[in-house]
Amino acid sequence: MKKNIFIKKLSNIYVILGFVFLGISLIVIAIPVSPYILYRLNPDFTNDEIDNISQKVFEDPIIPVEVEETGHTLPDFNPSLPEEPYVVISRIGVYSPIGESSNPEDSLRNGTWMVSDYGTPEDSSLPIILAAHRFGYVYWDHTTRDKLSFFNLSKTKIGDSVIIIWNQREYIYKIYAEDEATFIKDYEADLILYTCKYFNSPHRIFRYANRVN
């Protein structure tokens, strides 16, 4: 009798553990596809994200600085590099074309937007500011999202490299600071990357980097 009770209790424990593991598995499976589900339920999420990305990201105006001699020279010209500009973040698998349109959506639809009226790799008097969708568009598959967007920007670490291919030259930057905020806090960076943290929120994920080559 006692043996039967013990077996029954043990069976109940296994059933409970089975449901727990099943729930965890469903959550793990759902995370990569959650953007698709949310976009199907509310197609306006993409427009909300564009609005959040394109809103002002600084509280005070960024004043151009006089460029000092830092030992940086133009990287070697490499004809094997693409003529179009790209940002490459190996840590998270990003290989995203950079658009310079004054209309953010034109650039964000294809990859990364270089915020207008700020720095470029060839002009360091102002920081370069690059922004991209975190969640993107309903027609993006998982591979496209990882490659074009900053969905995994939060997984980058201090010391990670960010490469900008510009006029067939490779500019290398190292991340030195991480932040989550509404506005840019560090105006001394050579490169600032950001994306939305949530679908409909001004809260953003920032990475600050300096050029090292």
Side-chain angles (χ1 to χ4, degrees):
M1 183 69 178
K2 289 183 178 180
K3 184 177 180 180
N4 290 337
I5 293 173
F6 174 76
I7 292 173
K8 186 175 181 180
K9 287 183 178 179
L10 189 62
S11 298
N12 289 338
I13 291 172
Y14 281 129
V15 169
I16 293 170
L17 288 174
F19 278 113
V20 169
F21 285 123
L22 178 61
I24 293 172
S25 299
L26 290 174
I27 291 171
V28 170
I29 293 170
I31 288 173
V33 300
S34 59
Y36 305 104
I37 297 171
L38 289 169
Y39 288 146
R40 291 297 184 189
L41 295 174
N42 188 349
D44 290 334
F45 272 138
T46 298
N47 292 330
D48 292 341
E49 194 178 9
I50 291 171
D51 290 341
N52 290 332
I53 289 173
S54 58
Q55 285 175 5
K56 189 174 73 170
V57 292
F58 47 87
E59 291 183 285
D60 302 311
I62 303 178
I63 301 172
V65 297
E66 185 175 342
V67 179
E68 299 178 359
E69 293 295 330
T70 60
H72 288 321
T73 58
L74 283 177
D76 292 337
F77 178 79
N78 184 346
S80 68
L81 293 173
E83 295 182 5
E84 300 79 13
Y86 280 84
V87 58
V88 182
I89 311 175
S90 298
R91 157 85 66 176
I92 55 175
V94 166
Y95 190 87
S96 181
I98 298 172
E100 301 175 76
S101 173
S102 57
N103 179 2
E105 187 174 2
D106 292 340
S107 299
L108 294 169
R109 188 182 296 111
N110 298 310
T112 300
W113 174 47
M114 179 175 282
V115 179
S116 305
D117 302 322
Y118 289 92
T120 72
E122 295 173 351
D123 178 8
S124 56
S125 60
L126 287 169
I128 303 164
I129 304 178
L130 297 182
H133 278 300
R134 187 164 192 208
F135 303 102
Y137 298 86
V138 66
Y139 54 83
W140 281 4
D141 59 24
H142 183 64
T143 301
T144 301
R145 179 169 287 103
D146 284 348
K147 186 176 180 179
L148 298 185
S149 78
F150 287 172
F151 181 72
N152 291 312
L153 186 64
S154 61
K155 295 181 180 179
T156 57
K157 305 296 182 184
I158 292 173
D160 285 349
S161 295
V162 179
I163 295 172
I164 295 180
I165 298 171
W166 190 267
N167 290 333
Q168 293 181 284
R169 301 178 192 271
E170 190 175 81
Y171 296 79
I172 303 173
Y173 302 81
K174 290 282 187 184
I175 295 174
Y176 68 83
E178 310 169 2
D179 194 23
E180 292 187 6
T182 300
F183 299 109
I184 291 170
K185 293 181 180 178
D186 184 350
Y187 297 93
E188 301 298 321
D190 294 330
L191 171 65
I192 301 169
L193 309 169
Y194 78 90
T195 190
C196 298
K197 183 171 184 180
Y198 305 111
F199 281 103
N200 189 14
S201 167
H203 206 64
R204 300 175 174 112
I205 297 167
F206 288 98
R207 292 294 183 267
Y208 299 93
N210 279 332
R211 187 180 159 197
V212 295
N213 72 330

